[in-house]
Amino acid sequence: MRKIIIIVLIILVVLGGIWIWWRGSQAPEDGGVGDSSLDTDNGSFFPSGQPLGAGTGTDITGPTGTGTQPDGTGTTGDPNLSLASGFNKISSGPVAGASLVGNASSSMVIYMDKARGHLFGVRPDDLLSSRQLSNTTIPKVEELLIGETTNNASTTIQIIARYQTDNRLQNFSAALIGLDSGTINDLGELEGSFLSPNITQIATSPQKDRIFYLEDGRNNTTGYLANWDGTGKVEIFSSPLSEWLISWPNEELLALQTKTASNLDSLLYTINTQTKTEQLVFNRVPGLSTLLSPNGRQVLYSGNTRDGLAFGVYPISENLFKRLLVNTLAEKCVWSSDNVTIYCGVPVRLPLGSLPDGWYRGEFSFTDNIWKIDTDSGKTEIIYNPELANLGRTLDATKLFLDAKEENLFLINKTDQELWALDLGAAF
């Protein structure tokens, strides 16, 4: 009897092994992370071709997914291209922020040393020659916004440095004065004043000459357009909700998204800066991250589903969600001025844990490759792979932006807060 039981158990183990092997052979080559077609979807989240009107929700609660990303097989990408590095570290330490000022004929990337608050500049056509611009010390700046104003053909660099003192957020608005005018070491100084400490969010206009900010009141949050020093403010938004994220994709359009969490539904609004007209784009999306195209007609989105993270593009006029091949957070991307191409930091593997919460809290980091994606055709290609390029460190791309000629992609590596630039010509 015992021999019969042993034989039966052996047969069951063999049959189980065969079944597991067969199931594995049916799995998609990309690890099941995303559908390779923009026109098909598994229906669990933002189904491709399915409209989602204002006020309509989708049942997308569930665990965050894991899995490896596609490796470029079947696309125009060749991971070996990343061996031609063209990837340069710009800052010598952590930065509080960075942004491009100027135009295609004359531009500069301005960034601030996080430890001391000194400003530096580097020209996109000479990335190896950073120059210190200011000697005003502002320690431990948490966020930096950068712009420029023009008066009588003279251009002035403007900044807003945000930092904590006495457990209170300070918003210091200043102009860079005296640069190259005979001051010590030919450095400028930051001169300005403090904006209201009740300001919670600030965004700069695409032309970098104005700001939009949210200020907490006793019963509501109010949004204002204003000059860099806070003068000339005009109210264009009011809400009883206080937790917002804001961006300014083009001069006539603002985007406001409620702050997100893995199991917290979020919504996205747009506001016309001229007419003050509000539009609800979509809502009830957990773990939402969004990025509007420069023309404001498409939204890059990511959000949580029963099957894990979903990433795609939403043409607003079509009222359709379209999945893209790879998976990442929308905020790890930047739009090209053509309103079609995006560049993204795409994790090699999505970790276990709540997205994006765990990433925000620093509980884990991503290991990214840099991808170029055509949102119309779905064509993708890897343009930089740190491992193949022997970078010697992991890359977790945040706060991406392009120079005026779109020849360089700038980003801040979340793991060390340093500013880097990828030469897109060398990458291709």
Side-chain angles (χ1 to χ4, degrees):
M1 184 67 179
R2 180 178 295 176
K3 290 183 178 180
I4 295 175
I5 293 174
I6 293 174
I7 292 171
V8 171
L9 289 175
I10 292 174
I11 292 172
L12 289 175
V13 170
V14 171
L15 291 174
I18 293 173
W19 182 84
I20 291 171
W21 171 85
W22 179 86
R23 287 283 294 178
S25 68
Q26 305 304 307
E29 293 181 1
D30 64 1
V33 173
D35 196 311
S36 62
S37 170
L38 288 174
D39 299 321
T40 60
D41 195 278
N42 62 13
S44 64
F45 175 79
F46 295 149
S48 183
Q50 175 180 318
L52 179 65
T56 302
T58 54
D59 182 12
I60 56 179
T61 58
T64 300
T66 60
T68 56
Q69 301 280 14
D71 61 4
T73 304
T75 72
T76 60
D78 181 354
N80 291 324
L81 287 174
S82 57
L83 290 170
S85 177
F87 194 49
N88 299 297
K89 187 171 75 165
I90 306 301
S91 67
S92 59
V95 300
S99 185
L100 181 76
V101 296
N103 51 45
S105 60
S106 178
S107 63
M108 179 178 288
V109 171
I110 309 292
Y111 61 95
M112 176 177 279
D113 167 39
K114 196 165 190 176
R116 297 167 296 175
H118 294 167
L119 288 180
F120 292 80
V122 62
R123 297 195 179 279
D125 57 359
D126 188 11
L127 295 175
L128 301 180
S129 301
S130 292
R131 175 194 172 192
Q132 186 174 344
L133 303 178
S134 74
N135 59 4
T136 305
T137 299
I138 313 174
K140 298 181 180 180
V141 174
E142 298 175 10
E143 181 185 2
L144 177 73
L145 295 101
I146 303 166
E148 57 184 333
T149 55
T150 301
N151 185 20
N152 296 326
S154 176
T155 299
T156 301
I157 300 299
Q158 304 280 348
I159 66 107
I160 295 177
R162 312 191 75 200
Y163 58 95
Q164 295 278 349
T165 57
D166 300 324
N167 295 319
R168 192 170 192 181
L169 182 65
Q170 302 293 336
N171 300 291
F172 179 58
S173 176
L176 182 60
I177 304 298
L179 185 65
D180 292 333
S181 62
T183 59
I184 299 175
N185 298 324
D186 290 328
L187 298 179
E189 294 184 359
L190 293 173
E191 297 183 359
S193 58
F194 289 91
L195 304 178
S196 168
N198 295 323
I199 293 176
T200 58
Q201 293 284 321
I202 308 175
T204 61
S205 67
Q207 293 184 4
K208 305 293 178 69
D209 59 347
R210 292 184 298 165
I211 60 172
F212 170 70
Y213 66 88
L214 298 180
E215 185 172 8
D216 269 355
R218 180 170 297 179
N219 298 313
N220 63 356
T221 295
T222 306
Y224 298 96
L225 296 174
N227 299 319
W228 275 88
D229 60 1
T231 61
K233 69 178 185 179
V234 177
E235 179 182 337
I236 66 168
F237 174 76
S238 181
S239 170
L241 301 178
S242 60
E243 298 292 316
W244 293 93
L245 300 172
I246 60 176
S247 62
W248 200 335
N250 65 56
E251 290 295 327
E252 295 184 356
L253 196 68
L254 290 160
L256 293 91
Q257 177 200 312
T258 51
K259 287 188 176 180
T260 191
S262 59
N263 293 312
L264 178 66
D265 288 348
S266 298
L267 57 84
L268 175 67
Y269 271 101
T270 58
I271 301 177
N272 187 295
T273 59
Q274 307 298 317
T275 65
K276 305 181 184 179
T277 304
E278 299 177 8
Q279 178 184 357
L280 175 61
V281 181
F282 50 74
N283 66 357
R284 296 180 63 186
V285 181
L288 180 65
S289 176
T290 59
L291 186 68
L292 267 73
S293 60
N295 61 12
R297 297 173 185 172
Q298 298 196 93
V299 182
L300 197 65
Y301 70 85
S302 58
N304 291 330
T305 80
R306 290 177 177 176
D307 299 324
L309 186 70
F311 173 66
V313 64
Y314 176 79
I316 297 175
S317 63
E318 297 177 26
N319 199 26
L320 301 175
F321 290 93
K322 300 179 180 180
R323 291 284 292 270
L324 295 173
L325 172 65
V326 298
N327 269 348
T328 189
L329 302 179
E331 63 196 272
K332 292 173 70 67
C333 300
V334 62
W335 283 94
S336 164
S337 59
D338 65 11
N339 296 287
V340 174
T341 306
I342 57 173
Y343 298 91
C344 300
V346 178
V348 174
R349 175 174 290 273
L350 295 175
L352 289 170
S354 300
L355 287 174
D357 315 33
W359 183 63
Y360 288 160
R361 293 192 296 262
E363 295 170 1
F364 53 79
S365 296
F366 295 124
T367 299
D368 292 342
N369 293 326
I370 304 299
W371 289 66
K372 178 184 178 183
I373 303 169
D374 185 310
T375 59
D376 281 350
S377 68
K379 183 173 65 175
T380 62
E381 55 183 313
I382 299 174
I383 61 174
Y384 185 72
N385 183 318
E387 183 177 1
L388 290 179
N390 296 316
L391 182 63
R393 68 187 72 197
T394 58
L395 179 62
D396 190 352
T398 62
K399 301 178 181 178
L400 289 73
F401 63 94
L402 296 161
D403 65 22
K405 296 181 180 179
E406 300 196 356
E407 295 176 345
N408 296 283
L409 172 66
F410 293 85
L411 59 89
I412 294 176
N413 187 2
K414 192 172 184 289
T415 59
D416 54 25
Q417 295 296 305
E418 292 180 331
L419 178 64
W420 292 76
L422 176 63
D423 184 336
L424 296 178
F428 299 138

